[in-house]
Amino acid sequence: MMARSHVVVGAAAWLAAAPLLHLPQLDAGALTLAVAGALLPDVDHPQSWVGRRTRPLSTLIAAVLGHRGVTHSALAVAGLVVLLAQAGARRLTADALAIGYLSHLAADLLTPRGLRLAWPLRRVWAVPLCRTGSPAEPLIVLALVGGIGWWLWHGSAPALARWLR
Ligand SMILES: [Zn+2]
């Protein structure tokens, strides 16, 4: 998906997940970190929003590992969590970045190209609802955000949080 879609989905994912994790939903710093996490996986694409800002690193990652490789895998999520723990990141920081990162993977999963979630294995997972940059992409994002908004508006998040305890 496009960067703007990842920003919206990352923010929505944070707003949905924070109450479940008993974290401050409207914390501006956490929301910003979730959005940053939602953009981070595309560091493997030199033409992406984050890739253009991280050259030559993005060019190197693209050349060695390819786009939607390791940065779009469960291994990357685990690596991010371990790295943040080793760095002594606060729980709010780590959770916000991880939720944003996961939202990116979930959004890219909705494209025909899919993800190699078990990288380095070659199997690709996809729920192909829209092509990246197609007219359908904003409609899918709108449906996701609308669903999350409806869920939050009707108080399902607190009820689910109570059920998870
Ligand atoms: Zn991506």
Side-chain angles (χ1 to χ4, degrees):
M1 285 199 174
M2 306 294 286
R4 62 180 171 265
S5 297
H6 286 301
V7 167
V8 172
V9 173
W14 171 255
L15 293 174
L20 299 175
L21 299 170
H22 309 288
L23 294 170
Q25 186 181 38
L26 299 178
D27 184 288
L31 191 58
T32 302
L33 286 169
V35 168
L39 292 169
L40 199 53
D42 280 344
V43 70
D44 66 356
H45 192 306
Q47 303 306 317
S48 71
W49 186 90
V50 71
R52 289 192 308 271
R53 285 152 181 83
T54 57
R55 284 187 199 137
L57 176 65
S58 62
T59 304
L60 177 67
I61 294 172
V64 175
L65 300 167
H67 179 46
R68 292 199 185 188
V70 67
T71 66
H72 288 67
S73 71
L75 186 63
V77 176
L80 178 68
V81 169
V82 168
L83 187 70
L84 290 168
Q86 291 294 317
R90 294 182 322 144
R91 180 179 170 224
L92 183 61
T93 299
D95 285 2
L97 275 169
I99 287 165
Y101 204 101
L102 285 168
S103 79
H104 184 110
L105 301 188
D108 277 358
L109 198 65
L110 302 179
T111 65
R113 186 167 180 179
L115 299 176
R116 290 173 58 196
L117 289 172
W119 186 96
L121 300 179
R122 301 199 77 67
R123 179 172 175 186
V124 174
W125 279 269
V127 181
L129 296 180
C130 65
R131 293 195 176 283
T132 299
S134 72
E137 184 178 317
L139 299 176
I140 296 297
V141 170
L142 186 64
L144 280 172
V145 171
I148 289 172
W150 181 87
W151 184 58
L152 290 170
W153 181 259
H154 290 281
S156 300
L160 183 58
R162 281 193 300 276
W163 181 77
L164 290 172
R165 275 188 229 154

